[in-house]
Amino acid sequence: MSTPGAIAVYTSGSGIPEHVSERPWRGVYHHWDGYPTGLGQHLLYRAQRAQGDLGAVVRQLIDEAPWGWSLCMPGPEKPEGQRFSEQEPGLRVAPEETGAVAYVYVFDVEARRLDVFTTHVGGEGRRLSSVNFSSTGSPDLPALDLHPEETVTEPFLPGEALSARALKDCLEGLPPLEAVRETDSTRLQWVDTQQGPDESLSILFMVVTFEDGVISNVVEQEWNLVPPSARREPERVRHFLEALAEVLLEDPKRFNAFWISSQDSLRRSGARQRESFARILRAHWARDFGSEDASS
């Protein structure tokens, strides 16, 4: 997940540029998880948490981290993220210098907007999407790279607030997640759940590969799956996890720890039913890996 990105702010001009170098900006390097599903979603969260004060977000993420970030997303061990230092700075980023990053996220403070540009190979600096924020920080889109399947909005499923313990119980109630082939197999194992500093719930899991009955590889991932808002809908979370189990068991290749931990449907969509989540997950797999089974 070490796909770098840049967090930036326009320094002059106006309007929505179609290319990353079309309008002047300044910014800082961000090393880990620069994808729209990672850093992009976190920037939307930051704007909402700041209640639409994009100037405050810029001060926190750019001005107060002049040497850039290893990771600005907080975790249990680093609740404020991890900044680079003057002694070990991140790489330089500028409108004419984007070769070190795959995505550039640029805030327009006056227009209350966030633009994202694709600067990876094949992206050529084109604008991917833009999100506008209300005066209270609500985005007009739930994600910067929204898929058509994610535009569904279904009725709320309110219930007793989900705890980390209840989430673990839900995981343990899923069917065994194992893909068996001729001489090897892959198994997804749930390790633990915990509540984060922002009151979200995360899952620690492992994908274990066996060859001839012997462990040949183990990948451990932390997955920040349940935002605070979704904790009020435990049935919605359960439907998502059931859909995930269904979709994983359809194809052994889907036991990919990094792909699983990048799935963020509880933030990105208004889906609440198992069938809707299954369609979303298949669509994500199809777009990420070129499969043709999105509509199945």
Side-chain angles (χ1 to χ4, degrees), residues 49-287:
R49 191 176 70 175
Q51 298 183 324
D53 186 352
L54 298 190
V57 177
V58 167
R59 288 192 296 274
Q60 293 165 2
L61 296 182
I62 299 177
D63 300 336
E64 296 175 12
W67 311 110
W69 294 87
S70 175
L71 184 68
C72 73
M73 292 169 254
E77 296 182 3
K78 297 182 175 64
E80 296 183 358
Q82 186 172 7
R83 294 173 173 84
F84 285 118
S85 66
E86 184 175 6
Q87 291 71 36
E88 296 183 9
L91 300 176
R92 171 179 157 77
V93 289
E96 69 284 354
E97 199 168 344
T98 59
V101 296
Y103 297 92
V104 176
Y105 302 87
V106 191
F107 285 103
D108 188 320
V109 175
E110 291 186 2
R112 286 206 301 268
R113 191 184 69 249
L114 176 64
D115 300 329
V116 57
F117 301 89
T118 56
T119 52
H120 53 71
V121 175
E124 300 177 350
R126 294 187 298 266
R127 184 173 65 89
L128 174 66
S129 180
S130 296
V131 169
N132 294 284
F133 298 96
S134 72
S135 59
T136 59
S138 297
D140 63 353
L141 291 174
L144 287 156
D145 59 341
L146 201 65
H147 297 319
E149 292 81 1
E150 293 174 307
T151 59
V152 61
T153 300
E154 295 171 330
F156 281 83
L157 299 173
E160 184 177 349
L162 189 69
S163 65
R165 176 68 256 182
L167 177 58
K168 190 169 185 180
D169 290 342
C170 184
L171 292 169
E172 292 173 349
L174 295 175
L177 296 177
E178 185 172 17
V180 180
R181 292 168 288 271
E182 291 184 2
T183 60
D184 62 274
S185 63
T186 304
R187 185 181 305 160
L188 192 157
Q189 298 179 345
W190 308 114
V191 178
D192 200 7
T193 57
Q194 59 186 355
Q195 180 174 315
D198 63 349
E199 298 188 349
S200 64
L201 298 180
S202 62
I203 299 169
L204 183 67
F205 69 90
M206 295 189 302
V207 173
V208 184
T209 303
F210 299 83
E211 292 184 6
D212 296 321
V214 178
I215 294 177
S216 60
N217 190 48
V218 178
V219 179
E220 186 176 270
Q221 280 290 105
E222 184 175 355
W223 183 16
N224 184 227
L225 173 64
V226 186
S229 60
R231 293 180 62 180
R232 300 192 295 270
E233 297 183 88
E235 282 297 290
R236 183 185 183 213
V237 177
R238 182 175 64 82
H239 288 165
F240 172 81
L241 292 171
E242 289 175 347
L244 176 73
E246 174 186 335
V247 170
L248 290 180
L249 291 171
E250 291 172 351
D251 187 342
K253 295 191 295 292
R254 293 176 183 167
F255 283 73
N256 180 315
F258 300 105
W259 181 77
I260 293 169
S261 64
S262 72
Q263 300 312 303
D264 201 23
S265 297
L266 296 176
R267 291 180 179 84
R268 292 168 57 91
S269 79
R272 286 173 171 82
Q273 297 301 323
R274 173 175 172 166
E275 296 79 8
S276 300
F277 284 128
R279 284 193 292 271
I280 290 169
L281 289 165
R282 292 187 187 107
H284 270 278
W285 180 266
R287 286 157 179 75

